[in-house]
Amino acid sequence: MSAVDDVGNGRRVQEEGSMPFKTIVAIVQSEQDAERVLDGAIALASRFKAHVIGVHAEALPMPYTSATGFPDTEFMQVSADLNKERSAKLRTVFQKKLQPSGLSFEWRAEETFSGDSALSSLASVRTADIVVAAQRDADSDTNADIGSLVYDAGRPVLVVPHSGPIAASFRHVMLAWNGSREAARAAFDALPFMIEAEKVEVFVVDPGEDSDEEGLGGAGIAAALTRHGVKASVATRQAKGGTVEDAVQNRLVETGADLIVIGAYSHSWMHRLLYGGVTRTVLRSSPVTAFLSR
């Protein structure tokens, strides 16, 4: 893979033939998240000359019985009509956003039992290079299940935060490193962004005395990234009775990083159930764009 130095901004510009993201899936669950998700997907697709697939799901109307004990067909018809109307409205939003961009695109709408655009999109997602989705909104009951999507997709997911600028390239990337398989996968999946960043920090919480020998201290992955041309450094922190999640969030604020890369769900489901985890925190409250892979 060849690269050309751009003296004006100090970035490395990859030649078109080496651009890695050619198919991008945008998870469009509701009107609340559509604008930011599509802005993120279009910015990324414009930079990599990629094809954009918008996916949306509506719930199948569930049969309810009327007072006479028969299925309430009128209620089911009203529900079906509302679903079609909502899907059509989101398709219009998608088309109005994509048409002026000059990009190739397509819209895929489904009816499923869950009505969750993330859970219903796995077939589309698994044939894509990257997925763009919205961060969970605590005040909304129309969130897509991005956590399950990240877990099952087999593809990296770029999660757009509630607010802040939409970006397709990032100046300061923070890699949350714990030596796990998932963290390794995320690190190398995110190489296209890290290669172009001005700075990449490998951030490790509570490294042990022998952590570097075991690959947990960050030195090994920083060296590997450097061989790809990444400007990587290592920073460590002791949680001191706090949580790893708090340490990661605080470090994001301290450094001004604009992208966090994490290996999703690197602990067992029981650990996540009892203690939460960095993945869940990032999906709900990261102040910056998050790149998750596992």
Side-chain angles (χ1 to χ4, degrees):
M1 182 173 67
S2 60
V4 178
D5 286 332
D6 183 345
V7 178
N9 60 17
R11 301 269 180 103
R12 206 171 283 102
V13 181
Q14 297 172 326
E15 292 182 355
E16 182 178 340
S18 63
M19 295 303 186
F21 302 130
K22 289 300 185 181
T23 304
I24 298 171
V25 166
I27 306 296
V28 183
Q29 177 69 12
S30 66
E31 289 185 77
Q32 286 75 19
D33 63 33
E35 293 284 334
R36 290 190 65 78
V37 168
L38 293 177
D39 285 345
I42 290 169
L44 199 61
S46 297
R47 179 161 174 259
F48 293 114
K49 297 181 174 59
H51 180 71
V52 180
I53 302 172
V55 295
H56 173 73
E58 289 287 342
L60 287 165
M62 299 301 293
Y64 288 89
T65 56
S66 64
T68 59
F70 292 98
D72 191 338
T73 56
E74 182 178 350
F75 174 83
M76 292 177 64
Q77 185 60 53
V78 170
S79 297
D81 291 342
L82 287 173
N83 289 351
K84 289 180 181 178
E85 181 181 341
R86 186 163 43 239
S87 184
K89 185 179 294 186
L90 287 171
R91 178 177 183 173
T92 299
V93 171
F94 177 79
Q95 291 175 331
K96 284 184 176 180
K97 281 279 188 182
L98 268 296
Q99 283 170 348
S101 70
L103 297 165
S104 64
F105 61 89
E106 62 182 285
W107 174 256
R108 298 179 183 176
E110 300 182 54
E111 280 191 317
T112 64
F113 286 110
S114 69
D116 188 302
S117 302
L119 299 179
S120 305
S121 69
L122 287 178
S124 296
V125 163
R126 286 174 179 160
T127 60
D129 295 303
I130 193 168
V131 185
V132 179
Q135 190 178 67
R136 182 178 177 83
D137 186 350
D139 297 325
S140 174
D141 57 0
T142 61
N143 293 294
D145 188 352
I146 304 304
S148 293
L149 173 69
V150 170
Y151 192 88
D152 291 323
R155 309 305 302 137
V157 180
L158 197 68
V159 179
V160 179
H162 300 309
S163 59
I166 298 293
S169 61
F170 304 92
R171 298 179 63 186
H172 184 178
V173 178
M174 189 177 94
L175 168 64
W177 181 255
N178 62 4
S180 66
R181 176 189 70 81
E182 292 81 5
R185 174 69 181 271
F188 288 99
D189 280 350
L191 265 177
F193 294 123
M194 292 196 285
I195 287 172
E196 294 190 345
E198 294 176 5
K199 180 194 297 187
V200 173
E201 179 177 278
V202 179
F203 183 59
V204 185
V205 180
D206 290 338
E209 292 182 3
D210 301 323
S211 58
D212 281 328
E213 295 180 10
E214 299 169 359
L216 307 180
I221 187 64
L225 294 174
T226 299
R227 294 183 194 106
H228 284 276
V230 175
K231 299 178 180 68
S233 62
V234 180
T236 63
R237 170 148 316 166
Q238 300 296 327
K240 296 181 180 179
T243 65
V244 175
E245 298 94 288
D246 288 341
V248 169
Q249 294 283 71
N250 291 338
R251 188 63 179 170
L252 280 173
V253 174
E254 290 170 6
T255 61
D258 51 4
L259 177 70
I260 178 171
V261 176
I262 71 168
Y265 301 117
S266 59
H267 288 109
S268 69
W269 71 269
M270 181 60 74
H271 184 281
R272 298 196 305 271
L273 179 65
L274 295 176
Y275 303 109
V278 177
T279 303
R280 185 170 68 178
T281 301
V282 166
L283 288 173
R284 293 183 176 182
S285 57
S286 172
V288 300
T289 302
F291 182 102
L292 298 96
S293 188
R294 72 176 300 275

